[in-house]
Amino acid sequence: LEYKGSKINIVDTPGHADFGSEVERVLRSIDSVVLVVDAQEGPMPQTRFVLKKSLELGLKPMVVLNKIDKPAARPAEVEEMVYELFLDLGATDDQLDLPVVYAIAREGMAKKKLDDTSDNLEPLLDTILEHVPVAKRDTEALLLAQPFNLGYDDFVGRLAVARVYQGTLSVNDTLLMRNVAGKNEPGRIVKLFTFRGQERIETQTVEAGDIVMIAGLPTVEIGDTLCVNAEQELLPAIAIDEPTI
């Protein structure tokens, strides 16, 4: 979404430990985490799992205490529980300096303090702009991108959902798909899509910092390094824990 002149890429993840591999893949592609916690129920077992992975990767989460309108909501108590969970999981001092936003998501309302008045989500979006580092936009460097998810389209086949770390990528570009196991396969970009809300928007070029859907790479795999030549350093492989269930 576009907000105050910035493009904010938001990637939703399942909140359950059973989906650990998907959560880990997504966490590798982003710059911060919005941890949503029910203001009545408090942190759940899956909250612990997702947060642990985020902290291990050095991300600095922000917290949204949602459903503060519930009759039994206890935002102050739950906020303390979240802070204790951060401590239990070995958060650094920097990670413990966590911004908290209070919300009723169903009504599209968020606020930075419980006694503030608000009728929209701008306080949450403002918090994101304040606390999430701007993505590096190194567009002059050679391309480096990495798929963290796969999709499929009846017309163009396999789709790779990837984060572009540096350089630019355009339709008809040729690139290499490489990995630590020695894969080194060429490919050509047939179509590129970015996202607006939940729509796919076809585009001709994307650049560093963006999340893109790529068509034209039938053998691409999650964790491949997409680059220009075989001399470039590989991106770290996406290591995925065994399923917990």
Side-chain angles (χ1 to χ4, degrees):
L1 60 89
E2 300 282 344
Y3 180 68
K4 291 187 176 177
S6 294
K7 181 175 185 180
I8 305 175
N9 279 311
I10 302 171
V11 189
D12 191 19
T13 74
H16 302 287
D18 329 13
F19 293 99
S21 63
E22 190 170 335
V23 170
E24 288 176 75
R25 295 197 305 260
V26 169
L27 288 175
R28 278 288 306 278
S29 69
I30 46 83
D31 299 309
S32 186
V33 171
V34 178
L35 188 73
V36 184
V37 180
D38 187 302
Q40 177 179 318
E41 295 175 351
M44 306 297 280
Q46 58 263 30
T47 312
R48 185 183 190 92
F49 174 85
V50 177
L51 180 59
K52 179 173 181 283
K53 294 294 175 188
S54 307
L55 296 175
E56 285 172 355
L57 287 168
L59 298 170
K60 186 179 176 185
M62 61 194 74
V63 175
V64 172
L65 296 182
N66 191 29
K67 303 182 182 178
I68 56 172
D69 58 329
K70 277 187 173 182
R74 44 188 184 139
E77 192 178 333
V78 168
E79 187 174 337
E80 187 61 34
M81 291 164 70
V82 171
Y83 191 80
E84 287 174 7
L85 179 59
F86 272 69
L87 284 172
D88 285 350
L89 295 175
T92 64
D93 289 348
D94 193 38
Q95 288 169 328
L96 285 169
D97 183 23
L98 50 108
V100 179
V101 176
Y102 307 90
I104 308 172
R106 188 183 57 224
E107 296 177 10
M109 183 278 286
K111 49 191 181 180
K112 293 186 178 183
K113 294 181 180 173
L114 274 172
D115 49 6
D116 287 352
T117 56
S118 172
D119 60 0
N120 58 47
L121 289 172
E122 288 191 7
L124 172 58
L125 297 175
D126 288 336
T127 302
I128 289 171
L129 290 187
E130 288 165 24
H131 291 276
V132 179
V134 175
K136 292 177 182 173
R137 300 186 67 181
D138 189 354
T139 56
E140 300 302 315
L142 293 174
L143 170 73
L144 270 182
Q146 187 172 48
F148 61 89
N149 215 342
L150 298 175
Y152 186 81
D153 182 277
D154 288 338
F155 298 102
V156 292
R158 179 173 285 203
L159 299 166
V161 185
R163 165 79 183 260
V164 183
Y165 289 98
Q166 65 182 45
T168 59
L169 186 60
S170 301
V171 173
N172 291 323
D173 279 359
T174 56
L175 50 72
L176 290 177
M177 296 169 276
R178 301 169 57 222
N179 65 20
V180 290
K183 177 180 179 181
N184 191 16
E185 298 176 7
R188 186 177 71 85
I189 306 303
V190 175
K191 287 191 175 187
L192 291 173
F193 302 93
T194 53
F195 301 90
R196 184 181 300 134
Q198 297 194 19
E199 297 175 60
R200 285 191 336 210
I201 308 295
E202 193 166 347
T203 186
Q204 292 300 304
T205 302
V206 292
E207 60 184 33
D210 215 342
I211 288 178
V212 60
M213 187 175 269
I214 304 168
L217 306 175
T219 61
V220 70
E221 298 288 349
I222 289 167
D224 281 357
T225 295
L226 307 182
C227 57
V228 178
N229 64 56
E231 281 70 54
Q232 289 177 258
E233 193 170 333
L234 291 173
L235 290 164
I238 296 179
I240 294 170
D241 282 356
E242 289 297 310
T244 48
I245 295 175

